[in-house]
Amino acid sequence: MQQQLIIWWSYARQNILSGPYRFTMATVILSSLVAMLVCARADIKTGDWLLTSWSNSASSPKDIIVVAIDEPTLATLPYRSPIDRSFLAQLILHIGKGAPRVIGIDILFDQASEPDKDQQLQDVLRATKSPVIVAYASETDGLTPKQSAYLNQAVNGLNLGHVVISRDAFDGTVRHWPETSERPAEIPLFATAIANAAKKGSQQPKGRVTFFADSNSAPIAFPTYPASAAKLLPPQWFKDKIVMIGATLPNIDQHQTPFTTTSGVNSGAIYGVKIHAHMIAQLLNGRSITSVGAIAKLVLCFGLAALVVAGLTAVTSLPMRMAFI
């Protein structure tokens, strides 16, 4: 048996894996691998295009307001980091006077500032009548043990939401809802906690995040006000609204989204606080996106690979057939 295998391998090397056959075999193998790789990403990229190429606006985008900690806001504060706790306390107090449905704070309180200001913020967070959801993260999200210890102490007894955002391992794009394994089981996702507070019974969907697009296939524009100006707005503007407070600073907490596929890197990047706003809008609108099943994907991939192989094999074998004419 061993001798027969040696004879067969010798024949294959001399006749099948040599000359034009070697090129054909290499073409078949390479094209199969390429086709399988392309197909593996096709469902994701196609989903990006379908999701962002036409208007799928949330039914009530104006119900979600973003209060942005931006550069003009920081310019009014005595220091950049951490965000002045007295300023935040006064901001939350002012917004709370308007009786919003929920206030979501996408800012990690993972370090101390001035003791009096820290206490002022704590008092306001606990006294606000509207539900307040405070951002939470852990060491698995990149916090140091010291930061994690301070955060756990600072937010003890408050309503928390885990601000983890899931990125595609292939290109770093935010496309899917985080898996349960990516967060502490006892703490809901930030968007889920806010939606639950605003609309009882909201559930976290699986699969894709429904990023909402406007009529120009651009990310929907949630009403956004600089935090420095929000304190000057009439409190009634926040009545029955979901108010998101978070940073919109250059090159900080910006993430690629499906809009990157259709509009480019610059247009596709969205601040974390606004990604959470899209996720909340999806929960409130009850929308979900389901991909085709694994078996269907496998059949499509094999079909694409077979077509590519057949086409390239026919092209590469053409000179050989012509030689016998």
Side-chain angles (χ1 to χ4, degrees):
M1 182 65 177
Q2 183 178 1
Q3 185 177 5
Q4 291 176 337
L5 288 175
I6 293 174
I7 294 174
W8 181 88
W9 176 245
S10 177
Y11 172 82
R13 288 183 61 188
Q14 294 178 10
N15 297 278
I16 299 177
L17 300 179
S18 63
Y21 293 101
R22 176 182 297 174
F23 180 76
T24 300
M25 289 293 290
T27 301
V28 169
I29 294 172
L30 180 61
S31 59
S32 297
L33 292 175
V34 171
M36 293 294 286
L37 178 61
V38 170
C39 186
R41 301 300 304 174
D43 175 58
I44 292 177
K45 290 294 186 180
T46 301
D48 289 351
W49 183 82
L50 292 174
L51 184 66
T52 60
S53 292
W54 64 76
S55 175
N56 63 338
S57 298
S59 60
S60 55
K62 294 182 180 180
D63 285 349
I64 302 175
I65 293 176
V66 176
V67 174
I69 308 293
D70 55 6
E71 286 293 346
T73 296
L74 291 183
T76 67
L77 303 179
Y79 40 80
R80 294 178 63 89
S81 181
I83 302 298
D84 187 87
R85 302 287 164 79
S86 179
F87 171 83
L88 281 176
Q90 294 173 35
L91 176 64
I92 296 168
L93 187 62
H94 180 74
I95 293 172
K97 290 178 181 178
R101 274 198 285 172
V102 190
I103 301 174
I105 304 175
D106 187 20
I107 299 171
L108 288 173
F109 302 130
D110 57 358
Q111 58 182 306
S113 65
E114 301 171 65
D116 291 345
K117 293 182 177 182
D118 290 343
Q119 188 59 52
Q120 181 185 2
L121 177 61
Q122 288 289 329
D123 293 342
V124 169
L125 290 175
R126 286 167 168 77
T128 302
K129 292 182 179 180
S130 296
V132 178
I133 309 299
V134 179
Y136 179 84
S138 64
E139 292 182 47
T140 58
D141 302 307
L143 297 186
T144 66
K146 183 177 180 180
Q147 287 176 308
S148 181
Y150 184 86
L151 176 64
N152 286 322
Q153 177 185 359
V155 301
N156 183 38
L158 298 175
N159 297 317
L160 306 179
H162 195 185
V163 289
V164 62
I165 291 177
S166 184
R167 299 175 185 82
D168 193 310
F170 183 79
D171 59 6
T173 298
V174 177
R175 293 188 176 93
H176 297 87
W177 285 81
E179 298 290 341
T180 304
S181 59
E182 298 181 72
R183 60 182 178 83
E186 68 277 10
I187 298 178
L189 284 173
F190 191 55
T192 306
I194 292 173
N196 282 339
K199 176 184 177 183
K200 301 299 184 183
S202 297
Q203 299 294 321
Q204 176 192 336
K206 296 181 180 180
R208 281 218 179 226
V209 174
T210 302
F211 286 94
F212 292 91
D214 61 20
S215 58
N216 296 317
S217 300
I220 192 172
F222 295 99
T224 301
Y225 306 109
S228 56
K231 293 197 304 179
L232 305 177
L233 297 176
Q236 292 76 14
W237 283 30
F238 303 107
K239 184 174 177 58
D240 295 328
K241 306 296 184 182
I242 297 173
V243 182
M244 306 286 291
I245 302 175
T248 58
L249 300 170
N251 303 318
I252 296 178
D253 196 24
Q254 285 184 285
H255 309 271
Q256 299 304 320
T257 66
F259 292 99
T260 303
T261 299
T262 54
S263 304
V265 174
N266 293 333
S267 299
I270 298 178
Y271 288 107
V273 66
K274 295 189 177 183
I275 289 179
H276 293 304
H278 280 272
M279 297 168 79
I280 294 167
Q282 177 178 354
L283 288 168
L284 297 181
N285 281 266
R287 297 190 183 184
S288 61
I289 300 176
T290 304
S291 299
V292 297
I295 296 178
K297 287 183 183 180
L298 189 62
V299 171
L300 289 172
C301 287
F302 274 116
L304 176 61
L307 288 173
V308 173
V309 169
L312 290 178
T313 301
V315 172
T316 54
S317 62
L318 183 60
M320 187 186 305
R321 294 199 302 270
M322 293 181 64
F324 290 97
I325 297 178

